Amino acid sequence: EAGVVQSPRYKIIEKKQPVAFWCNPISGHNTLYWYRQNLGQGPELLIRYENEEAVDDSQLPKDRFSAERLKGVDSTLKIQPAELGDSAVYLCASSRLGQGANVLTFGAGSRLTVL
Amino acid sequence: QKEVEQNSGPLSVPEGAIASLNCTYSDRGSQSFFWYRQYSGKSPELIMFIYSNGDKEDGRFTAQLNKASQYVSLLIRDSQPSDSATYLCASRGGYNKLIFGAGTRLAVHP
């Protein structure tokens, strides 16, 4: 079984530039999560999708961040414009709905550096 | 107060010893708890989860849950240098939300 696939693995941009991250979850996993992890901190949830529906986006900074999950499979997280404080690792994770719903499998992450 | 609190460490133990990692949570409605291991520069990977009060064992790992004290722990027996990593505690609370602590860094020295 292929794992959660994320791209790009690394991205360096200047502040005020846009950036986008892509995630392909494990096949059959209905729930998809985007987390942000700052250095020395635990992952912080940005948004959670159940199929195509964003069921929890309370922590997503909506003035500059957006996400979509068309067709309930792949997802894209966008930041526009990026700020210095957005430097972090953006982790995508997926899980099944129902029993064991919170057994998350994480992708390798996308490390963003904003200069 | 953070919702899930962990001592950042580092926790240093000699090879072969028992490592004890602790976590407290603030949401009394939390139903389940998870331990993830994260090697430097890698993504978190699930070690085990626990729903009921008491102990749950899986190989060298034992998770302990005390809901009355809002306390979760992870014991690693016969610690190996390969266990050196950051251990993240997470709780599932309202709206099925998984909240992570900041993690405890464990260093197992030969």
Side-chain angles (χ1 to χ4, degrees):
Chain A
E1 174 180 80
V4 177
V5 180
Q6 290 188 246
S7 69
R9 288 294 315 278
Y10 304 93
K11 189 75 175 179
I12 300 174
I13 61 173
E14 294 191 346
K15 63 181 180 181
K16 300 186 181 180
Q17 294 299 305
V19 64
F21 305 111
W22 175 81
C23 173
N24 182 249
I26 291 173
S27 178
H29 281 194
N30 311 85
T31 306
L32 184 146
Y33 313 74
W34 282 104
Y35 281 87
R36 175 171 60 189
Q37 187 172 25
N38 292 306
L39 190 64
Q41 299 296 314
E44 174 192 5
L45 181 68
L46 293 174
I47 189 167
R48 172 167 64 99
Y49 284 93
E50 290 182 3
N51 298 307
E52 300 90 355
E53 183 182 0
V55 297
D56 184 355
D57 63 356
S58 57
Q59 300 291 94
L60 190 72
K62 297 181 183 62
D63 57 336
R64 297 183 300 108
F65 286 63
S66 63
E68 62 181 10
R69 191 184 183 197
L70 301 176
K71 302 181 181 178
V73 182
D74 295 5
S75 177
T76 301
L77 177 70
K78 297 179 181 177
I79 308 174
Q80 183 171 10
E83 297 180 352
L84 294 176
D86 296 330
S87 294
V89 176
Y90 291 83
L91 293 164
C92 179
S94 69
S95 69
R96 298 183 189 278
L97 279 172
Q99 189 176 9
N102 283 104
V103 179
L104 272 63
T105 301
F106 284 88
S110 294
R111 182 178 296 275
L112 173 66
T113 301
V114 182
L115 302 176
Chain B
Q1 181 190 10
K2 291 185 178 179
E3 295 185 61
V4 177
E5 298 223 36
Q6 297 181 256
N7 188 318
S8 62
L11 174 65
S12 183
V13 300
E15 185 174 355
I18 296 175
S20 178
L21 303 159
N22 305 313
C23 168
T24 58
Y25 60 94
S26 60
D27 181 2
R28 284 196 171 275
S30 295
Q31 296 294 314
S32 51
F33 305 87
F34 302 79
W35 284 99
Y36 282 80
R37 177 176 61 201
Q38 187 171 29
Y39 290 113
S40 181
K42 303 295 186 182
S43 57
E45 54 181 344
L46 181 71
I47 297 175
M48 60 192 307
F49 57 87
I50 186 167
Y51 293 87
S52 304
N53 273 329
D55 295 0
K56 179 181 178 182
E57 188 174 319
D58 184 1
R60 296 187 296 114
F61 300 95
T62 298
Q64 299 175 318
L65 173 60
N66 183 326
K67 290 187 178 181
S69 300
Q70 296 176 244
Y71 180 90
V72 192
S73 65
L74 179 71
L75 301 178
I76 306 175
R77 288 181 299 281
D78 188 24
S79 295
Q80 301 297 309
S82 58
D83 294 325
S84 299
T86 295
Y87 290 80
L88 298 164
C89 173
S91 72
R92 178 173 72 88
Y95 302 104
N96 214 31
K97 189 170 183 175
L98 195 65
I99 298 172
F100 285 85
T104 297
R105 189 156 56 92
L106 173 66
V108 181
H109 53 86

